[in-house]
Amino acid sequence: MLDDRAKLLLKALVERYIADGQPVGSRTLSRASGLELSPATIRNVMSDLEDLGLIASPHTSAGRIPTARGYRLFVDTMLTAQREQFATPSLAADQPQRVITNAANLLSNLSQFVGVVMAPRRASVFKQIEFLRLSDRRLLVIIVSPDGDVQNRVIFPEVDYTQSQLVEASNYINTHYAGLSIEQVRDRLQSEVEQLRSEIAALMQAAVKVSSEVLTEAQDEVVIAGERNLLAVTDFSSDMGHLRRAFELFEQKAQLMRLLDVSSKADGVRIFIGGESQVVPFEDLSIVSANYEVDGQVVGTLGVIGPTRMPYERMIQIVDITSRLVTNALSHRK
């Protein structure tokens, strides 16, 4: 266990390193902490903190920097949340896709790092399906979800349907199947297909297939904004290897999905510090994330990805505010 003096020095060291990005020496630490301690005493405490794995000494400097373990102790026990005054941001109530895109941009703009938003998890239910004839054997399928999100897909049926047949099929599907899950529609279709007219049955099967594909794609979507902001972060711009690993993470959305999925299992704002576990395997990256809701149900996760040397108090506020804005925009859409 650390005594109060060691905690205060560690807190001062982490805050100074976050602010300056330079290893912190004993003299700087003495001034930053406000403690009237001799340089020798401070060096002894720093040596103890290093033995505990909370700080480390880069080879090129006599100063110390926080380790992942040091950041974790700082974040869990030493953060002093001073509410920062932001120009009140807003997110207009709109289609879910636009809301999450705007939210990712807002996170990026406020943090000056990378904003990420996992698309809302939606039940595989459709409210309405329409067919529009584009040309011979080329149809547009329009799928409207219960929350008003609209998705379009072009299909190429073997039969050339007339627009009146398409309208009839849409009316039949929307009257008898709207509000059911895709799985329920598929099960009912298997037992009812012989009773349906052939063109309606074929269009039903096409609609089920397309709807299933659309909803599956939506579950796997992550919106990312502000990757280029990392080019201005000294921690990355000075090391192309660090920068390359960060961009590889953004390209491999499956791994990013796993990171966000882990944070979705907890309440409030969560912080994952790079290098402390397999959750964030990159030592130079940290993630501050929070869930967002629709009508009281958690449906997705959003967050900020940046360097481990990030101003965590500010990031916590940004993520918390944005999660509330997204919750409000999706829950109160007209």
Side-chain angles (χ1 to χ4, degrees), residues 307-318:
T308 51
R309 188 179 66 83
M310 68 164 68
Y312 289 97
E313 296 101 325
R314 177 177 169 81
M315 296 305 112
I316 289 170
Q317 291 181 59
I318 288 170

Side-chain angles (χ1 to χ4, degrees), residues 1-7 48-49 52 54 69 73 77-78:
M1 294 291 292
L2 298 181
D3 59 27
D4 291 342
R5 183 178 62 183
K7 289 179 180 177
D48 292 340
L49 294 174
L52 291 170
L54 299 172
R69 189 174 178 184
L73 186 61
T77 66
M78 302 175 189

Side-chain angles (χ1 to χ4, degrees), residues 223-237:
V223 178
I224 304 172
E227 300 99 310
R228 293 180 63 85
N229 286 340
L230 295 186
L231 297 173
V233 177
T234 306
D235 308 55
F236 296 104
S237 61

Side-chain angles (χ1 to χ4, degrees), residues 123-130 142-146 169-186 188 192 204 207-208 211:
S124 55
V125 177
F126 68 86
K127 176 183 178 182
Q128 185 177 350
I129 290 182
E130 302 292 339
I142 304 168
I143 304 158
V144 183
S145 69
S170 297
N171 291 339
Y172 184 90
I173 293 170
N174 295 329
T175 299
H176 293 87
Y177 296 94
L180 299 178
S181 70
I182 297 301
E183 293 75 16
Q184 290 173 315
V185 175
R186 187 181 293 116
R188 278 186 52 175
E192 297 175 7
M204 276 291 298
V208 168
S211 299

Side-chain angles (χ1 to χ4, degrees), residues 175-234:
T175 299
H176 293 87
Y177 296 94
L180 299 178
S181 70
I182 297 301
E183 293 75 16
Q184 290 173 315
V185 175
R186 187 181 293 116
D187 291 342
R188 278 186 52 175
L189 189 59
Q190 289 177 348
S191 60
E192 297 175 7
V193 68
E194 292 182 1
Q195 286 75 45
L196 298 174
R197 296 224 319 263
S198 60
E199 65 270 16
I200 291 180
L203 288 171
M204 276 291 298
Q205 290 169 331
V208 168
K209 182 176 184 297
V210 170
S211 299
S212 182
E213 291 172 355
V214 166
L215 291 163
T216 299
E217 289 172 10
Q219 301 288 9
D220 294 336
E221 186 175 1
V222 178
V223 178
I224 304 172
E227 300 99 310
R228 293 180 63 85
N229 286 340
L230 295 186
L231 297 173
V233 177
T234 306

